[in-house]
Amino acid sequence: MRKLIYWVHSSIDGYIDGPNGEFDWPVMGPELIAYSDALDRRVDTLLFGRPVWEMMVGFWPKAESVRDDPHTAAFAPFWRATPKIVFSHDYPGDEWTSQVIGGDLAEQVTELKSRPGQDLLLTGGSALAATLADLGLIDEFHIAVHPLTLGAGRPLLPPTNTRRPLHHITTTLADAQIVITHYQPTPPPTTDPTT
């Protein structure tokens, strides 16, 4: 079974973008880039909610002509070549979209995870990640906390009615300032069939 990995950047006050949708604050140093690249090498499909998709498709197809840095040079060709799935109820898709999923998330994502291949990477976003976490479909959380406060914006994970305990796998300090924590869902307790 393929794993679904959630990779997201957050401020220390728990927002993934600023009050006006700003995403100009993550500092992509060499160690953070290396961590992101290592996740990319594990996957063969990229997943996006609609708001993140619109940001991504507006930049990555022509990224090298806009920005000249190591992260852009490494990620842009990977992004263009890798199948991309967008989650939306009303988005028709575009030339960069491999598939749009808008129906029963539990059924469709479970089927997607059961296909042969490498793992799946959900990048950024919050509402879709919260829904998939509530459904028990996210297998790994990789959260990069940057040293700033944004004051407002979209929360890392919006409030839901579901409690899902996680357990800590690793913590990495990248570029002497960004704390990346890797969590996995805590498996439910096993019951002893003899009791």
Side-chain angles (χ1 to χ4, degrees):
M1 179 78 79
R2 306 159 88 186
K3 290 183 178 180
L4 197 164
I5 301 163
Y6 177 45
W7 169 229
V8 65
H9 298 274
S10 173
S11 63
I12 66 168
D13 54 347
Y15 296 105
I16 63 165
D17 57 16
N20 299 305
E22 306 94 324
F23 195 67
D24 56 354
W25 45 270
V27 177
M28 297 298 292
E31 293 174 352
L32 183 59
I33 292 170
Y35 192 98
S36 181
D37 289 347
L39 291 177
D40 293 342
R41 287 192 295 274
R42 293 179 49 192
V43 306
D44 64 7
T45 308
L46 302 174
L47 310 179
F48 301 97
R50 173 83 176 266
V52 175
W53 175 251
E54 290 179 345
M55 180 180 70
M56 299 293 268
V57 79
F59 177 76
W60 288 108
K62 57 185 185 308
E64 296 96 331
S65 67
V66 177
R67 186 181 300 156
D68 180 19
D69 63 67
H71 174 62
T72 301
F75 186 70
F78 168 79
W79 186 90
R80 288 191 293 262
T82 304
K84 292 166 280 294
I85 297 174
V86 177
F87 290 78
S88 174
H89 293 293
D90 57 5
Y91 189 60
D94 56 51
E95 64 180 304
W96 294 102
T97 308
S98 304
Q99 180 181 353
V100 176
I101 291 179
D104 184 324
L105 286 185
E107 178 183 330
Q108 292 191 62
V109 174
T110 299
E111 189 278 327
L112 186 63
K113 291 174 69 174
S114 71
R115 295 179 191 171
Q118 294 178 266
D119 293 333
L120 313 163
L121 183 64
L122 171 63
T123 302
S126 60
L128 176 60
T131 300
L132 294 175
D134 280 357
L135 293 169
L137 293 169
I138 296 181
D139 301 290
E140 297 184 16
F141 297 77
H142 295 260
I143 303 169
V145 178
H146 293 254
L148 83 161
T149 61
L150 293 171
R154 283 184 297 163
L156 175 62
L157 291 172
T160 69
N161 293 324
T162 304
R163 179 184 293 189
R164 291 215 173 266
L166 305 176
H167 65 276
H168 173 261
I169 304 299
T170 60
T171 297
T172 303
L173 180 63
D175 305 307
Q177 62 177 341
I178 300 154
V179 179
I180 307 169
T181 307
H182 172 196
Y183 299 99
Q184 290 180 357
T186 301
T190 56
T191 55
D192 185 345
T194 62
T195 59

